[in-house]
Amino acid sequence: MKPLIITAAICGAEVTREHTPKLPLTAEELAEEAFKAEKAGASIIHLHVRDATGEPTQDKEVFRAAIEAMKDRGVTAIIQPSTGGAAGMTWQERIQPAYLSPEMASLDCGTLNFGDTIFVNDMPLMRNFAKTMAEHKIFPELECFEPGHIYNALRLRDEGLLPEHLHFDIVLGVPGAMKASPKNLLFMTELLPETVTWTAAGIGRHQLMINHLTIAMGGHVRVGFEDNIYYTRGRLAESNAELVERIVRIVQDSDRTVATPEEAREILHIKGGQK
Ligand code: KMH
Ligand code: ZN
């Protein structure tokens, strides 16, 4: 098996300081958190940003400040801004970080119930995002919360809107969408073409179970406060790095190795290629 890529989703759009006082919000806090997560073993930082009041924003300049702060702090991991933002944002708001031409960005592949709201991703929006990412030489991570999302992604591929190598993120356990279970992860991954790479995210208390399964199945791992703020039941994680450190131990005990940022670029075919 190839080295395993750990993605740290360090902030998200929904978690608040009321949920966990450890949540990084400002550019400097995000940079410090990303740096420590990378030192612990993360090679991708999935990035959401917040405005001065702590609310989620997709403002290009707020992303620019966070990315610059990360680079100044010494982050060499792949920085992957979200183009999902928060449910209810317009597509014009959401696409803004793509104009900064990051190495990678998330591309959500379908509409779903997201808690009490609807996270809208129709085909025209997805085509628009995929085209914009291709124009800016951004490698997309294809976020799929339901089986139909995988078919939508393959439709984008058939329309020539995606790079040759495809990388998926299977997200399970969002309230209103597909539940996190071994059976559902197996079902979702069996829909994927053989040549792709994939990671998976389990929401809330399901994070660790999904992490264990993906390590055993040859996938990659996503952890972080965006999906889960607890280390164990009732005990908040000290940091994103603490969650990453545990994954590193499990990966090594499972006789797999953890990818460096450069290895992650090779595995994803973005080294000197896509960007
Ligand atoms: N915050 C969710 C509504 C992404 O980053 O691309 C969407 C999300 C997906 O987090
Ligand atoms: Zn996200």
Side-chain angles (χ1 to χ4, degrees):
M1 284 186 201
K2 291 214 165 134
L4 180 144
I5 299 168
I6 301 176
T7 298
I10 58 176
C11 168
E14 289 80 24
V15 185
T16 68
R17 277 272 166 82
E18 281 69 51
H19 296 128
T20 173
K22 308 289 183 185
L23 186 70
L25 295 175
T26 66
E28 288 66 35
E29 289 165 356
L30 289 164
E32 192 59 28
E33 194 75 5
F35 180 75
K36 288 182 177 152
E38 178 180 333
K39 281 282 155 281
S43 49
I44 299 179
I45 304 296
H46 174 70
L47 183 63
H48 288 255
V49 292
R50 306 297 180 95
D51 67 16
T53 67
E55 289 297 310
T57 176
Q58 289 292 102
D59 188 318
K60 184 168 67 127
E61 295 313 317
V62 182
F63 269 105
R64 191 197 304 277
I67 293 168
E68 279 177 6
M70 285 182 186
K71 294 199 168 152
D72 288 349
R73 183 66 184 88
V75 171
T76 65
I78 299 164
I79 300 173
Q80 181 201 87
S82 168
T83 65
M89 288 179 173
T90 64
W91 74 262
Q92 290 94 338
E93 285 177 274
R94 285 171 49 188
I95 195 64
Q96 290 183 74
Y99 302 140
L100 300 171
S101 299
E103 242 175 328
M104 203 174 175
S106 61
L107 172 55
D108 294 281
C109 291
T111 297
L112 62 144
N113 286 302
F114 198 96
D116 287 356
T117 55
I118 301 173
F119 181 38
V120 177
N121 296 284
D122 56 27
M123 281 308 292
L125 179 148
M126 288 185 261
R127 286 192 188 99
N128 177 0
F129 279 28
K131 277 185 198 157
T132 306
M133 289 192 201
E135 279 161 19
H136 290 266
K137 299 192 168 23
I138 301 166
F139 182 66
E141 178 169 277
L142 304 164
E143 296 220 9
C144 296
F145 301 73
E146 305 269 12
H149 298 181
I150 294 176
Y151 296 115
N152 291 342
L154 298 179
R155 200 166 149 198
L156 293 175
R157 175 201 61 185
D158 294 344
E159 293 177 12
L161 298 174
L162 296 179
E164 202 175 315
H165 180 70
L166 302 183
H167 180 68
F168 284 83
D169 178 23
I170 308 298
V171 187
L172 298 177
V174 169
M178 203 171 183
K179 282 197 187 301
S181 71
K183 204 169 167 184
N184 284 348
L185 182 65
L186 193 62
F187 176 69
M188 289 289 272
T189 53
E190 283 183 346
L191 298 177
L192 299 173
E194 270 183 22
T195 53
V196 311
T197 48
W198 61 274
T199 189
I203 304 302
R205 68 184 191 281
H206 305 293
Q207 182 169 76
L208 185 58
M209 178 264 288
I210 292 293
N211 294 160
H212 274 295
L213 289 167
T214 67
I215 293 165
M217 289 164 71
H220 300 281
V221 164
R222 169 165 142 161
V223 283
F225 287 168
E226 174 163 348
D227 304 334
N228 163 51
I229 56 175
Y230 289 98
Y231 190 81
T232 48
R233 187 194 300 256
R235 201 276 258 172
L236 289 169
E238 281 300 317
S239 62
N240 283 280
E242 189 185 30
L243 294 168
V244 173
E245 282 160 9
R246 171 166 58 189
I247 298 302
V248 171
R249 287 195 297 275
I250 300 170
V251 169
Q252 290 171 344
D253 285 351
S254 311
D255 214 12
R256 291 192 65 185
T257 56
V258 174
T260 63
E262 278 317 289
E263 286 172 333
R265 289 182 174 91
E266 266 169 39
I267 292 164
L268 299 174
H269 302 261
I270 54 178
K271 196 173 177 162
Q274 181 79 3
K275 183 133 190 290

